[in-house]
Amino acid sequence: MIGENMQVKDAMSRGVVTVPMDATAAEVAETMANRDVSAVVAVDENGETFGFVSEMDILSRLGNKNWEIASIEDLMASSVKTVNPDMKLKDAAKQMAEKHIHRLIVMSEEKVGASYRPIGILSPVDVIKYLVQK
């Protein structure tokens, strides 16, 4: 059971890998392979989060002609779900379960350091790993 005091920041994976909005599918795939991650966050030149590209987004394009030149906008999930690192873990887990969300992007708080930037990702595996370690 998820305790009342557990927060998203306790379970999230840190060190978000980002790619620029003008990256191609081939560049995104290369970044994912080189960094050994299953997803990346697409950001603009100011670091603002615009989307999320997972390994499944890449795989869904592989059969298409010239898949490697597809744009980030063609690849990324249409809606990005973000959460605050101080959100209760049980609430984030409930949101993921109810809405069938596979990853939540954890954003820094506004007016704190690099204001409102991706600082982590929370997946169901992160929640499960955290609970088993407790």
Side-chain angles (χ1 to χ4, degrees):
M1 182 171 172
I2 299 176
E4 200 60 38
N5 294 326
M6 295 178 186
Q7 297 176 312
V8 166
K9 66 183 170 189
D10 298 325
M12 71 182 190
S13 294
R14 298 177 189 281
V16 176
V17 176
T18 60
V19 293
M21 282 298 293
D22 62 354
T24 64
E27 292 167 334
V28 172
E30 183 177 358
T31 298
M32 292 168 99
N34 291 340
R35 300 290 299 274
D36 195 27
V37 295
S38 61
V40 294
V41 175
V43 296
D44 69 7
E45 62 277 354
N46 297 317
E48 185 176 340
T49 301
F50 272 90
F52 187 78
V53 181
S54 74
E55 73 276 13
M56 294 308 293
D57 296 325
I58 298 286
L59 288 179
S60 70
R61 291 289 181 167
L62 289 181
N64 297 349
K65 183 177 179 181
N66 298 327
W67 72 270
E68 63 278 347
I69 61 171
S71 72
I72 288 278
E73 290 186 54
D74 290 336
L75 293 172
M76 68 185 184
S78 58
S79 63
V80 177
K81 303 296 183 205
T82 63
V83 294
N84 183 296
D86 295 328
M87 179 181 198
K88 291 183 187 244
L89 187 57
K90 70 176 188 163
D91 293 339
K94 182 178 178 183
Q95 183 180 53
M96 294 170 82
E98 289 177 351
K99 297 182 180 177
H100 304 286
I101 298 169
H102 295 236
R103 290 177 185 90
L104 294 170
I105 299 174
V106 184
M107 304 295 282
S108 64
E109 296 179 50
E110 293 190 48
K111 299 181 178 112
V112 175
S115 181
Y116 207 64
R117 301 285 187 254
I119 60 169
I121 294 178
L122 183 70
S123 71
V125 170
D126 295 322
V127 176
I128 292 167
K129 282 181 183 177
Y130 182 74
L131 291 176
V132 202
Q133 292 173 358
K134 288 284 153 205

